[in-house]
Amino acid sequence: MEHRIVGPGPYRATRLWNETVEIFRAKMPLRKHRCRFKSYEHCFTAAEAVDWLHELLRCSQNFGPEVTRKQTVQLLKKFLKNHVIEDIKGKWGQEDFEDNRHLYRFPPSSPLKPYPKKPPYQKDVIKFPEWNDPPPGTSQENIPVRPVVMNSEMWYKRHSIAIGEVPACRLVHRRQLTEANVEEIWKSMTLSYLQKILGLDSLEEVLDIKLVNSKFIIHNVYSVSKQGVVILDDKSKELPHWVLSAMKCLANWPNCSDLKQPMYLGFEKDVFKTIADYYGHLKEPLLTFHLFDAFVSVLGLLQKEKVAVEAFQICCLLLPPENRRKLQLLMRMMARICLNKEMPPLCDGFGTRTLMVQTFSRCILCSKDEVDLDELLAARLVTFLMDNYQEILKVPLALQTSIEERVAHLRRVQIKYPGADMDITLSAPSFCRQISPEEFEYQRSYGSQEPLAALLEEVITDAKLSSKEKKKKLKQFQKSYPEVYQERFPTPESEALLFPEKPKPKPQLLMWALKKPFQPFQRTRSFRM
């Protein structure tokens, strides 16, 4: 009974449904049965279907060993309602499936659920102020733009730092970020981080980005207590005092006697029922309806526990603060009850852990529209939350640091040097035009070299430059763009032609040089005899 892992992505619940239906139809054992003195071929009893499907779900990594037999019966009821199976007389459409000896069979074809189509979402991008943004109220539509012409003087200014000549600089302040700018940064970077973890090309089919409130993200990050629990500004959205007292009683059991509350046989069961009734009557699940697909998508990462924890951290940041606070308090209570060995049994038919999952899974995660696997998916998610709630409900430090650094960078002043911005007015950026591979290769090879070659020729032919200055700039150009320089001066002889050597003047002959050199007095023989 192989059940492949359905990874994260849009419509994961629908994909899981279709996958389960296909495996159930292909591998459910069928045999001959007798009922009321009549034989039926290729059928199965309800109990056989429950046994086989229950084992399939428990062994699947998409659902896990926490799946109960009751949940399996509920799924088979939905199979009967959606005509995945029918009774031996061909009846279907009602959820009257029971765990008994009644006979069922597969129809000739079981309809698979189609994938819904959502209209494409156009994101309204809030533009962050740039360094050179004009003041508000000005327009650049009719401003004439001078072409970018880089002469030798501009080029020298831009590359003066390379040779150690640092000119005077000036500070340019960016226009102040507005509150809307900061909120949009938090929202866009948080969603980008989630998209990267899920490995999706887009989040549009997983959640409605328009419903993501950036104020919720910021509040969930900064307005927290020392224990990491969200602090609400609106106290009317807090848990009722009696619910909070009941949760503290069970979370701190058996120390509830210190709270001076009345004790009687079955007291803990009544307290638990009080909490379950409150959470069961919430108008919306704690993880909200519009984030259902996002959380279900993250369930496809459970085989990578660390990655799944990071994805759940991001998704929980998107919750309204009151929902996040209620979830934090509930998960802490559930985890403490399951770990408390002195806690009396709260239900005779279930273990404590199973009871926690079955009781609160629907109030934590469910879909606004009927989803056939939402109960199994909710149980799977709540089980993982109970085991990792301390990490999941923490603020992701890496994300917080990254966003804070981004905001600080946008608020930081910029240092500019004379000539660095070429002191000209640049035109507004335009959209890219797609080009052919041949044109791309040509532009890559020659597109940047042609302006540089023209610049080199301008330096060479500039008559205003002295030979010393010209040699200095050419040496600087050769260091920055050796390929362009080599193409212009392929040999040392061609470079030497640019600076021909002047003929050296002959030295003037001095008058004393024409005379015989001084000779020392030599003694001669006397002519005297």
Side-chain angles (χ1 to χ4, degrees):
M1 294 184 295
E2 297 180 357
H3 204 157
R4 66 181 182 88
I5 299 176
V6 178
Y11 319 120
R12 185 173 184 271
T14 304
R15 288 186 286 141
L16 278 173
W17 170 272
N18 292 340
E19 177 83 6
T20 306
V21 168
E22 290 177 348
I23 296 178
F24 184 54
R25 280 183 58 88
K27 299 187 177 182
M28 174 66 199
L30 306 177
R31 62 187 181 90
K32 182 180 179 180
H33 288 82
R34 291 181 60 86
C35 180
R36 297 180 180 178
F37 306 103
K38 189 175 181 179
S39 298
Y40 297 93
E41 299 286 345
H42 307 293
C43 59
F44 51 87
T45 65
E48 290 173 347
V50 175
D51 292 337
W52 192 91
L53 186 58
H54 185 214
E55 186 64 22
L56 172 69
L57 297 176
R58 283 172 52 84
C59 296
S60 171
Q61 296 189 39
N62 295 312
F63 301 103
E66 302 290 337
V67 178
T68 63
R69 190 175 182 88
K70 181 180 178 181
Q71 290 176 329
T72 307
V73 173
Q74 294 294 327
L75 180 57
L76 285 167
K77 287 183 177 182
K78 295 178 179 180
F79 278 1
L80 181 61
K81 181 180 180 181
N82 290 274
H83 204 195
V84 177
I85 60 176
E86 61 184 16
D87 73 356
I88 205 63
K89 296 181 180 180
K91 295 181 180 180
W92 61 278
Q94 301 292 330
E95 293 189 6
D96 54 358
F97 184 94
E98 300 292 340
D99 190 358
N100 53 27
R101 301 293 300 174
H102 194 75
L103 295 181
Y104 292 90
R105 66 188 181 190
F106 291 117
S109 62
S110 295
L112 298 180
K113 289 187 174 294
Y115 298 112
K117 295 183 179 180
K118 295 182 179 181
Y121 167 65
Q122 300 294 334
K123 182 180 179 181
D124 298 329
V125 180
I126 297 181
K127 183 178 180 297
F128 304 145
E130 300 295 339
W131 292 107
N132 296 321
D133 277 353
T138 61
S139 175
Q140 293 185 347
E141 295 180 357
N142 301 320
I143 298 178
V145 179
R146 290 188 297 163
V148 179
V149 178
M150 187 184 296
N151 54 29
S152 59
E153 189 66 25
M154 284 184 168
W155 181 86
Y156 179 72
K157 287 181 179 180
R158 294 190 63 182
H159 293 269
S160 59
I161 300 177
I163 61 174
E165 298 179 7
V166 181
C169 62
R170 60 190 176 93
L171 297 180
V172 179
H173 293 265
R174 183 190 294 269
R175 289 196 295 113
Q176 185 177 4
L177 290 176
T178 63
E179 184 178 355
N181 294 146
V182 177
E183 292 176 357
E184 181 64 21
I185 294 173
W186 273 94
K187 177 179 177 178
S188 60
M189 293 189 66
T190 302
L191 295 179
S192 298
Y193 199 73
L194 177 61
Q195 179 179 336
K196 181 180 178 181
I197 294 177
L198 295 179
L200 302 178
D201 296 331
S202 173
L203 292 177
E204 293 180 4
E205 295 179 339
V206 174
L207 58 87
D208 190 347
I209 301 178
K210 293 183 295 185
L211 299 179
V212 176
N213 193 326
S214 57
K215 295 182 183 294
F216 292 167
I217 302 175
I218 298 175
H219 187 99
N220 291 333
V221 170
Y222 293 109
S223 298
V224 294
S225 64
K226 294 182 180 180
Q227 294 76 25
V229 180
V230 175
I231 301 174
L232 300 181
D233 295 333
D234 187 358
K235 300 303 179 181
S236 64
K237 297 181 179 180
E238 289 273 9
L239 281 171
H241 178 71
W242 50 275
V243 176
L244 191 59
S245 299
M247 295 175 68
K248 288 182 179 179
C249 177
L250 293 184
N252 299 321
W253 191 275
N255 296 326
C256 62
S257 57
D258 299 338
L259 303 179
K260 298 181 180 181
Q261 295 187 6
M263 297 292 294
Y264 55 87
L265 185 62
F267 171 75
E268 67 283 349
K269 295 181 180 180
D270 291 342
V271 174
F272 180 76
K273 186 176 182 301
T274 300
I275 302 170
D277 288 342
Y278 172 79
Y279 278 95
H281 287 84
L282 294 177
K283 296 181 179 180
E284 187 179 29
L286 296 180
L287 300 184
T288 70
F289 288 132
H290 81 273
L291 291 177
F292 174 82
D293 290 333
F295 280 99
V296 170
S297 184
V298 177
L299 287 175
L301 298 173
L302 292 191
Q303 66 275 13
K304 304 175 182 178
E305 182 174 327
K306 185 177 180 181
V307 179
V309 168
E310 292 180 2
F312 277 126
Q313 283 181 335
I314 304 300
C315 289
C316 289
L317 279 183
L318 308 181
L319 297 174
E322 58 271 18
N323 288 39
R324 182 178 172 91
R325 176 176 173 81
K326 292 177 182 178
L327 180 65
Q328 289 174 319
L329 297 177
L330 177 61
M331 296 308 303
R332 186 168 63 178
M333 182 202 72
M334 293 169 61
R336 289 186 178 181
I337 290 176
C338 292
L339 295 175
N340 191 351
K341 297 181 179 180
E342 299 184 7
M343 173 66 68
L346 299 175
C347 181
D348 298 332
F350 296 100
T352 303
R353 181 181 175 87
T354 303
L355 177 64
M356 294 294 112
V357 175
Q358 297 301 316
T359 302
F360 297 108
S361 59
R362 292 285 295 175
C363 71
I364 293 178
L365 178 71
C366 70
S367 175
K368 188 174 184 179
D369 303 322
E370 182 179 359
V371 177
D372 297 309
L373 295 177
D374 57 352
E375 294 180 0
L376 296 176
L377 296 174
R380 180 67 166 152
L381 181 140
V382 172
T383 302
F384 189 79
L385 279 178
M386 288 177 57
D387 296 335
N388 303 275
Y389 81 98
Q390 290 182 334
E391 289 295 324
I392 291 176
L393 295 177
K394 279 183 179 179
V395 175
L397 185 59
L399 175 64
Q400 180 182 356
T401 304
S402 177
I403 297 177
E404 289 175 348
E405 290 178 352
R406 174 62 177 167
V407 174
H409 170 74
L410 293 176
R411 287 173 171 167
R412 195 175 297 129
V413 298
Q414 185 189 43
I415 301 177
K416 286 193 176 183
Y417 296 95
D421 55 357
M422 297 185 291
D423 296 325
I424 58 175
T425 305
L426 299 177
S427 59
S430 59
F431 292 101
C432 298
R433 176 180 62 87
Q434 186 174 4
I435 61 176
S436 62
E438 295 78 10
E439 187 177 358
F440 169 76
E441 292 296 334
Y442 175 81
Q443 292 183 4
R444 187 182 67 171
S445 302
Y446 304 101
S448 60
Q449 294 185 1
E450 292 178 358
L452 293 174
L455 177 63
L456 179 59
E457 290 296 331
E458 185 179 351
V459 175
I460 294 172
T461 59
D462 193 348
K464 298 180 180 180
L465 296 176
S466 64
S467 298
K468 184 177 180 181
E469 293 177 348
K470 187 175 295 187
K471 287 181 180 180
K472 182 178 180 181
K473 290 189 176 183
L474 289 177
K475 184 177 180 180
Q476 188 177 343
F477 191 97
Q478 182 184 13
K479 184 177 180 181
S480 301
Y481 310 104
E483 296 179 357
V484 180
Y485 192 87
Q486 180 68 23
E487 186 177 355
R488 176 61 177 83
F489 300 107
T491 61
E493 290 76 10
S494 60
E495 184 179 5
L497 294 176
L498 185 61
F499 302 101
E501 295 184 1
K502 296 181 181 180
K504 296 182 179 180
K506 295 181 179 181
Q508 297 180 359
L509 296 178
L510 300 178
M511 294 301 294
W512 60 268
L514 296 176
K515 299 180 180 179
K516 294 182 179 180
F518 175 78
Q519 297 179 355
F521 176 77
Q522 295 181 359
R523 187 173 183 179
T524 60
R525 290 183 63 183
S526 175
F527 292 101
R528 293 182 180 182
M529 296 304 295

